[in-house]
Amino acid sequence: MKLLRFGEIGAEKPGLLDADGQVRDLSGHVDDIAGASLSPETLDRLRAIDPATLPIVDGNPRIGACVGSVGKLIAIGLNYADHAAEANMALPEEPIVFFKATSCICGPNDAVEIPRGSVKADWEVELGVVIGTRAKYVSEADALSHVAGYCIVNDVSERDFQLHRSGQWVKGKSHDTFAPMGPWLVTTDDVADPQDLAMTLSLNGTAMQDGSTRTMHFSVATVIAHLSQFMTLHPGDVIATGTPPGVGMGKSPQVFLREGDEMVLRIAGLGEQRQTCIAARD
């Protein structure tokens, strides 16, 4: 099942993508794709609905972030063996955990802002994991049972802010629009194996990233179990699980985002994102 949110910023409605690629309105069944609506019981109820009975959404509406009211946006650093190699950094013994401000979440095709003073804005195609049930002190064997579904996240980063402006990585990770999310939340029954998903990112038509979740250092289950030892994960929390090689910082010479650049991101079965870079707004 592919769930989504459509409409203007701040006024998104819940929707479902049917087998013909048409957006269907779920407003009569749930208030939003968020929180309690991600529970197994609610998802089972939505699966039981015949999409043909839902209103078709006319036109070409804006697609918002596929999850609303995200409580925590947690990210994992250096989680791909081949990405660590391109960065000339050792693989960590435990997951590297950092946060992105939830205010940086945006729709999958919204413009990405280049911050004022930016000199090293970068891209990162990542598998997003959306929590569906409360997870605290869970085992690795039980971890995936707490997942509602998966989505694409672009962990946009400003490397100079991240690495040279002192303090935690959050400074380089949290500018407005630095977490395009979606287009869909694909529920777990439609993702056979989260550790076998091809993922790509192109910049202005040139392939930059071409990898697979097979090369994750810490699996999705390991990451969830690890995080749950330090914090309770709640329905609607999102985990960005790391990126494969091909980021701008790892190129020789390095390549960074500029106004007018276009990124296209794809993960097998999870859809496509397309963003144009613009100057930061007030």
Side-chain angles (χ1 to χ4, degrees):
M1 183 168 59
K2 295 180 174 68
L3 301 174
L4 55 89
R5 300 168 69 248
F6 64 93
E8 296 305 309
I9 296 173
E12 292 91 346
K13 296 180 179 181
L16 178 150
L17 192 74
D18 70 17
D20 296 321
Q22 294 178 304
V23 176
R24 301 276 182 162
D25 192 340
L26 277 174
S27 297
H29 298 271
V30 289
D31 293 332
D32 199 358
I33 308 300
S37 67
L38 299 169
S39 71
E41 296 76 18
T42 301
L43 294 181
D44 284 344
R45 178 167 59 83
L46 296 181
R47 284 189 195 94
I49 299 171
D50 179 359
T53 65
L54 299 171
I56 294 176
V57 178
D58 294 325
N60 186 29
R62 170 187 172 270
I63 302 300
C66 59
V67 183
S69 302
V70 174
K72 294 190 287 292
L73 177 51
I74 310 163
I76 307 299
L78 285 179
N79 196 30
Y80 281 69
D82 37 7
H83 173 51
E86 77 168 349
N88 197 30
M89 299 177 75
L91 285 167
E93 294 183 6
E94 290 192 0
I96 295 173
V97 179
F98 61 93
F99 287 85
K100 292 171 73 82
T102 55
S103 56
C104 75
I105 296 171
C106 66
N109 304 314
D110 291 346
V112 165
E113 295 185 8
I114 305 298
R116 292 180 182 177
S118 171
V119 291
K120 294 183 178 181
D122 206 346
W123 56 84
E124 294 187 20
V125 59
E126 305 205 2
L127 174 67
V129 178
V130 181
I131 299 299
T133 58
R134 179 179 180 272
K136 183 176 182 179
Y137 295 126
V138 302
S139 67
E140 190 170 330
D142 187 49
L144 294 185
S145 70
H146 294 273
V147 176
Y150 302 94
C151 64
I152 304 172
V153 175
N154 188 353
D155 176 19
V156 186
S157 310
E158 212 299 332
R159 303 298 189 186
D160 190 57
F161 296 178
Q162 175 188 352
L163 301 174
H164 302 135
R165 294 296 297 271
S166 186
Q168 299 181 351
W169 287 3
V170 65
K171 287 182 179 180
K173 296 284 188 174
S174 295
H175 191 273
D176 294 350
T177 73
F178 267 26
M181 189 179 296
W184 318 307
L185 167 61
V186 182
T187 53
T188 56
D189 53 307
D190 278 347
V191 179
D193 183 359
Q195 302 305 150
D196 190 19
L197 300 175
M199 51 204 310
T200 62
L201 182 147
S202 66
L203 178 67
N204 301 326
T206 299
M208 292 292 175
Q209 293 186 273
D210 185 0
S212 169
T213 57
R214 289 192 302 271
T215 68
M216 273 189 187
H217 181 46
F218 300 108
S219 69
V220 171
T222 299
V223 166
I224 293 170
H226 180 78
L227 291 173
S228 78
Q229 311 306 305
F230 303 98
M231 66 194 80
T232 301
L233 302 175
H234 294 282
D237 287 348
V238 179
I239 306 166
T241 55
T243 198
V247 300
M249 182 176 64
K251 300 291 184 183
S252 182
Q254 293 181 328
V255 179
F256 295 111
L257 296 169
R258 298 290 182 264
E259 290 179 50
D261 284 348
E262 183 182 65
M263 295 176 281
V264 178
L265 296 76
R266 299 183 180 95
I267 296 182
L270 304 186
E272 176 185 289
Q273 297 186 354
R274 188 178 296 264
Q275 300 116 25
T276 299
C277 296
I278 63 171
R281 303 182 180 98
D282 290 336

